[in-house]
Amino acid sequence: MLDRLTWFVALLIGLMLFALLHRRGYDDPYITYRYALNLATGHGFVYNPGTATLSTTAPLFGLILVPVVLVGWPLPLVANLIGCLSHAAGALALWRLSRLWRDEMTGAAAALLYLLFPLPLMTLGSETLPAMALTLWAFVSAAQGRQWLTGALLGALVWLRPDGVLTGPLALLLLMIDHGNWRDWRRWPWVAALMWASIVAAGLGLAWLVYGAPLPVTLYAKQQQALIPGFYDFVDRLQVTLNGYAHQPFYQIVFALAGVGLVATLRSPRWLFLIGWAALYGVAYTVLHVAGYFWYVAPLVIGLAPAFGVGVRVLVDLLRRGGGKWLALAGAVLVLGGTTWWLSGSVYRIGQQIDQRLAVYRAAGEWLAANTAPTASVATLEIGIIGYYAQRHLIDFAGLLQPDVAAQLGSGGFPAAAQYAIDRYQPQYLVLQEHALSLLAGRTDLLERCPVVTEISDLRFPAPLTIHHCRW
């Protein structure tokens, strides 16, 4: 009965988040949306029909969205709904872990911070929130000793997001420690490990068969972007993000409690599995040296939340020892209530901050869909929203679709990659924002070949977004 009630509460919370955040979105997830759309419309699981390139890092998320396209529902809106429900389920997983480990105070505080911390919610629409939730539920399954389910969740997680492979060793270790005898190799979680390895191997083989490579080409592109002088890598983005929060007194308290909790986990080490996952994640992305986009930093909240929760529990225990249960209760109410009040305001503000590119790029994509031939090729810097609504052959200045374009990024940045892509592929249309990426200045040949055919108001810059028709 209690399990049903907690799932019902999680459902209500997810729907409340959706009501506040349903208008959110950003460019990158639309790449995966287009994979789903193309598969549903018979063009295969590709971005550009006829070109087998794996340019999404979330193939399973794309497959999940295919039925949404088939029934005619608005795909970006449903993706946001999935994200909100997943996020609530992730918070529930933290609570479930605390029940299994008999540490409910830690679980309540951790679930609250996880649910309302702003950074993960900014990734709404992508696979990030479902992947975070699945990571936590893999740990729940491992804590329950369910080998088959743990292996299946770990396998699915890798194809929901490739960095999910980091969860496997830690979840298997948790299984081995909690429900086996690590001294006896015959009692190790071989079933879960075999299930996990089989699913991952099958996916790798399928990707190799279809795309000629097991990994998305976007990994190389993001590594090349990180080499651009002045462009953030993962460590830079993490530092900027932490500095942004650390200047606010509320987050100073959160980080202080998390620091206390980190030390205290040495006496309650099970939470170290989640904190260790976050540490392993950070090391992996540092070693990979990819570009520092905000959605790469968001999953670290999986480690921050339990550290904060343990810190709150330590504080409440100190208050109990010093002033009795009523002082401890008052302290818990003050900390959890204050956290809810402060972060709820942040969630509301996130819901009001709508990326202007959603409207601008959609208008550009819809113009291309209505005014160009179905076989037309289009080159631009951000391909997600424009490509999804245009449904034309896209050439990407950021190298996410064409690896040879990505190879130009490290030495010359986006301008060099864009000039190479235009000269190499000779697109029929260009979609440009000269104030963001100046390509036409100094290229009189392009000005003559590619006159402007329409302009789209873009309040982010002094000049409009322009669409050019090129004749080669």
Side-chain angles (χ1 to χ4, degrees), residues 85-166:
L85 295 176
S86 297
H87 198 52
L92 178 58
L94 285 168
W95 172 249
R96 187 65 62 85
L97 281 172
S98 74
R99 296 291 302 274
L100 290 169
W101 294 338
R102 299 178 182 177
D103 192 2
E104 285 84 352
M105 177 55 68
T106 295
L112 182 63
L113 187 75
Y114 176 91
L115 185 68
L116 299 178
F117 199 85
L119 187 57
L121 294 172
M122 294 172 66
T123 71
L124 187 63
S126 74
E127 80 285 356
T128 301
L129 295 180
M132 290 173 64
L134 195 57
T135 297
L136 290 167
W137 279 102
F139 281 111
V140 172
S141 179
Q144 293 172 330
R146 304 170 71 178
Q147 287 210 41
W148 285 99
L149 181 59
T150 300
L153 293 177
L154 292 174
L157 180 58
V158 174
W159 296 108
L160 185 57
R161 186 179 168 110
D163 54 39
V165 72
L166 301 172

Side-chain angles (χ1 to χ4, degrees), residues 441-466:
R443 287 287 304 264
T444 55
D445 60 322
L446 281 184
L447 287 171
E448 294 175 359
R449 288 182 182 277
C450 306
V452 174
V453 291
T454 192
E455 297 180 344
I456 296 171
S457 177
D458 188 352
L459 299 179
R460 301 172 302 150
F461 299 100
L465 189 78
T466 54

Side-chain angles (χ1 to χ4, degrees), residues 150-402:
T150 300
L153 293 177
L154 292 174
L157 180 58
V158 174
W159 296 108
L160 185 57
R161 186 179 168 110
D163 54 39
V165 72
L166 301 172
T167 309
L170 291 172
L172 294 176
L173 181 61
L174 178 58
L175 260 172
M176 187 165 61
I177 292 175
D178 269 8
H179 301 279
N181 186 341
W182 64 272
R183 298 176 186 273
D184 183 358
W185 65 269
R186 291 169 297 183
R187 298 182 63 185
W188 289 1
W190 294 113
V191 172
L194 181 61
M195 173 71 75
W196 173 46
S198 298
I199 295 174
V200 173
L204 286 171
L206 183 62
W208 210 312
L209 180 65
V210 175
Y211 303 106
L215 297 176
V217 299
T218 49
L219 173 60
Y220 175 66
K222 297 296 174 62
Q223 289 174 323
Q224 289 296 108
Q225 290 172 18
L227 298 176
I228 298 173
F231 203 82
Y232 285 169
D233 64 12
F234 174 78
V235 174
D236 296 328
R237 175 61 65 182
L238 179 58
Q239 291 175 339
V240 168
T241 302
L242 289 175
N243 289 337
Y245 286 120
H247 284 94
Q248 304 178 54
F250 170 79
Y251 291 107
Q252 292 172 2
I253 296 172
V254 169
F255 292 146
L257 286 171
V260 171
L262 182 60
V263 175
T265 51
L266 298 176
R267 300 184 63 181
S268 52
R270 283 189 174 89
W271 292 108
L272 279 176
F273 282 97
L274 300 186
I275 297 170
W277 179 91
L280 184 61
Y281 177 95
V283 169
Y285 270 80
T286 301
V287 171
L288 285 173
H289 195 240
V290 294
Y293 294 101
F294 70 90
W295 55 86
Y296 291 152
V297 178
L300 292 174
V301 174
I302 286 177
L304 175 64
F308 170 76
V310 174
V312 171
R313 189 244 294 158
V314 170
L315 175 63
V316 171
D317 287 345
L318 288 174
L319 292 174
R320 181 180 294 109
R321 294 192 192 110
K325 66 177 182 179
W326 291 111
L327 182 60
L329 178 61
V333 170
L334 179 62
V335 172
L336 298 182
T339 300
T340 303
W341 175 79
W342 184 275
L343 291 180
S344 294
S346 298
V347 173
Y348 175 79
R349 288 189 292 274
I350 290 172
Q352 304 306 305
Q353 298 165 358
I354 308 304
D355 192 337
Q356 293 181 341
R357 289 174 296 180
L358 289 170
V360 175
Y361 289 171
R362 177 171 180 169
E366 290 177 341
W367 188 92
L368 290 165
N371 296 279
T372 66
T375 57
S377 59
V378 180
T380 191
L381 177 61
E382 294 185 286
I383 61 167
I385 300 168
I386 291 173
Y388 176 76
Y389 287 104
Q391 283 300 296
R392 296 297 183 264
H393 185 95
L394 264 288
I395 299 156
D396 177 27
F397 296 157
L400 301 179
L401 300 179
Q402 291 87 19

